[in-house]
Amino acid sequence: MPLALETRQRAMLLEMGVRVWLPGTDFALAATGGLPDAVSAAQASNAGALRAGAASMAPHRDAGASAAQGPASAVAAAGRNVNTNLNQHADTTSRLGAGAELGAANTSRLGTATNTDSALTRRDGANDLSQIATMDWDALARTAADCQACGLCAGRSHSMLQAQSGRRARWMVVGDPPNEDEDAAGQPFTGEDGLLLSNMLKAVGATRGDVVPGLEAAYVTAVSKCRPPQGRVPQPAELAQCAAYLQREIALVQPAVIVAMGRFANQVLLQEHPQDAALPLDRQRGKVYRYQGVPVLVTYSPQALRRRPADKAKAWADLCMAMDLLQTPV
């Protein structure tokens, strides 16, 4: 029975290197002994598998059938399968390419979102410490209250930096990071420590509160504006982050002398003198250091003086040295 094929179909099969025989007979490749160059190795493998499958499933015919005849339907199916495989491969490649483009687009969008978040962080100023150097008191206090630039913020109930409305003072006292009571009150040196500090300042003619006739204003702050979480030790990187607030406080207060009270206050205020920053306090005392161009003296904190009252005489000597600096022309 002749196989009815249109001219266009025959041309397509010939272009693929497929010869058509009658059903039920063996068939072979072209006389050249191989597939045309245009047919890939994968196509040859698929075609071979189809031929083997067709041979095992085909019914036996009369041995007198012509050797030139073969299973046309199986061959046509082989051709269709080759085309299907090629189309599926092309479609998969296309989908993979589209997926890569989609992934690249998503990555681009994620990068854009990250950049946008960074830009928002820079605009709000809460974590952009570079803007602190130009802030007034109100902006500085708001920024410190909302700051999340380091891990110290996790332990903060109240910031140690309060708006001062343009207050200036010749005395500046810098203490260690706040403890639990100081964090609750929102100011450094509270309770008995605060009372002792007030008496020390009064002895040198200064006051930390409202200006009193006959007494100079003293600005009191902490080296970090947040209480470390669970009262842990602040890390050097955290103190360095918070130093931007202290530097702006110094610029606004314009003190003539800074008195450092505490181990961590000394670490920051003596950073321009690394050879002395790690020394014991007794070896730091009696020297004039500089921080942001302002003279710095180191002395005992009120807490340390309450533990060891005998050191009050040394602390008084340190405050007298500070008074001498105030009376010395710059």
Side-chain angles (χ1 to χ4, degrees), residues 11-318:
M12 291 175 61
L13 291 173
L14 289 175
E15 183 69 22
M16 294 170 53
V18 177
R19 297 182 181 274
V20 180
W21 290 270
L22 289 176
T25 60
D26 293 333
F27 61 96
L29 296 177
T32 56
L35 292 173
D37 294 338
V39 182
S40 68
Q43 294 169 335
S45 176
N46 289 336
L50 285 172
R51 287 197 298 271
S56 63
M57 295 173 63
H60 292 285
R61 296 297 183 95
D62 190 333
S66 172
Q69 295 175 343
S73 59
V75 176
R80 287 194 299 272
N81 195 12
V82 170
N83 281 336
T84 300
N85 288 340
L86 289 175
N87 291 337
Q88 288 176 346
H89 176 73
D91 183 60
T92 301
T93 302
S94 176
R95 286 198 300 271
L96 289 174
E101 293 177 359
L102 180 59
N106 288 338
T107 301
S108 176
R109 285 196 293 272
L110 287 173
T112 302
T114 301
N115 293 337
T116 302
D117 292 342
S118 299
L120 289 175
T121 301
R122 288 193 297 269
R123 283 197 294 271
D124 67 18
N127 293 325
D128 187 2
L129 303 186
S130 65
Q131 297 182 12
I132 291 177
T134 60
M135 291 181 179
D136 59 16
W137 278 114
D138 291 336
L140 189 65
R142 288 195 305 269
T143 302
D146 296 334
C147 183
Q148 297 182 0
C150 72
L152 295 182
C153 64
R156 178 185 64 219
S157 297
H158 298 90
S159 168
M160 292 296 104
L161 202 160
Q162 305 297 325
Q164 298 294 316
S165 301
R167 180 178 180 181
R168 294 184 179 180
R170 293 211 302 163
W171 288 86
M172 185 172 186
V173 178
V174 181
D176 274 346
N179 57 31
E180 185 176 1
D181 293 335
E182 292 168 335
D183 175 64
Q187 64 176 357
F189 299 106
T190 59
E192 294 185 18
D193 291 345
L195 180 60
L196 179 54
L197 176 61
S198 296
N199 290 336
M200 293 170 67
L201 291 174
K202 189 179 294 185
V204 295
T207 178
R208 67 177 293 184
D210 296 333
V211 177
V212 177
L215 297 178
E216 288 192 282
Y219 179 79
V220 180
T221 189
V223 69
S224 71
K225 309 313 168 191
C226 302
R227 177 192 177 221
Q230 289 80 47
R232 66 168 172 78
V233 174
Q235 300 302 307
E238 295 170 334
L239 293 174
Q241 287 276 12
C242 218
Y245 292 103
L246 179 61
Q247 292 167 7
R248 184 54 182 165
E249 287 176 286
I250 293 173
L252 293 171
V253 174
Q254 297 185 11
V257 65
I258 299 175
V259 180
M261 292 184 171
R263 175 164 63 103
F264 299 107
N266 296 347
Q267 287 181 13
V268 173
L269 292 171
L270 271 60
Q271 67 179 15
E272 298 177 19
H273 309 271
Q275 69 280 4
D276 288 355
L279 293 176
L281 188 145
D282 282 336
R283 295 182 59 185
Q284 294 173 334
R285 292 179 52 252
K287 300 178 183 179
V288 179
Y289 302 98
R290 294 273 172 176
Y291 183 78
Q292 300 292 305
V294 181
V296 175
L297 293 175
V298 173
T299 192
Y300 300 94
S301 69
Q303 185 181 36
L305 293 175
R306 289 196 301 110
R307 289 197 304 264
R308 296 183 58 182
D311 289 333
K312 289 183 179 180
K314 298 178 182 179
W316 172 246
D318 296 334

